[in-house]
């Protein structure tokens, strides 16, 4: 078989065509990477807005949007049997700020129970004080000597007869 030799002009043309194809391939890959069309499933696409767009101060325009806002997190509260809600300060769907008082418990019954417990505690403390006073008085009386006649009176009161 006879091999064909390429002329110098043909070699130059092939090299130039290869370089042009390589540059086109690089440009296409860069464009696809920048626009995000390079990924197959679209999960790694990032949507970003400027701070001006988010706050509505960008370029002096006011962006207004309509729609429904859904909470990211919901907290369900349950009352025990002895708890009662006295007043609810917000309505369903109302916008609230952090720290806003939402509801108030009815604490009247608990306050009465606490007051009754405090009165019982005072009563017990008074009883302890009286008993301590009695102990101190009896201890002082015990340390004092008694006259002999008081022993005889006690013995006679018990129907004791000496021999």
């Amino acid at each position: 078989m006879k091999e064909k030799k390429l002329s110098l002009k043909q070699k130059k043309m092939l090299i130039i065509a290869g370089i042009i194809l390589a540059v086109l391939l690089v440009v296409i890959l860069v464009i696809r990477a920048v626009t995000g069309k390079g990924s197959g499933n679209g999960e790694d696409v990032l949507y970003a807005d400027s701070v001006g767009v988010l706050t509505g101060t960008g370029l002096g325009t006011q962006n207004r949007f309509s729609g429904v806002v859904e909470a990211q997190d919901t907290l369900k509260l349950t009352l025990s049997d002895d708890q009662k809600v006295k007043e609810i300060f917000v309505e369903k769907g109302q916008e609230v700020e952090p720290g806003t008082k939402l509801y108030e418990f009815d604490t009247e019954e608990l306050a009465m129970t606490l007051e009754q417990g405090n009165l019982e505690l005072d009563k017990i403390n008074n009883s302890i004080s009286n008993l301590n006073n009695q102990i101190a008085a009896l201890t002082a009386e015990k340390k004092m000597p008694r006259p002999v006649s008081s022993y005889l009176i006690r013995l006679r009161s018990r129907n004791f007869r000496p021999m």
Side-chain angles (χ1 to χ4, degrees), residues 13 17 21 24 30 37 41 47 50-51 56 66 131 135-136 147:
M13 289 299 281
L21 283 174
L24 274 173
V30 168
K37 295 182 180 178
N41 57 8
Y47 298 100
S50 70
V51 174
S66 63
L131 291 173
I135 290 171

Side-chain angles (χ1 to χ4, degrees), residues 144-156:
M144 289 178 23
R146 291 189 185 166
V148 176
S149 62
S150 69
Y151 287 117
L152 292 176
I153 293 173
R154 283 190 183 178
L155 291 175
R156 286 183 188 154

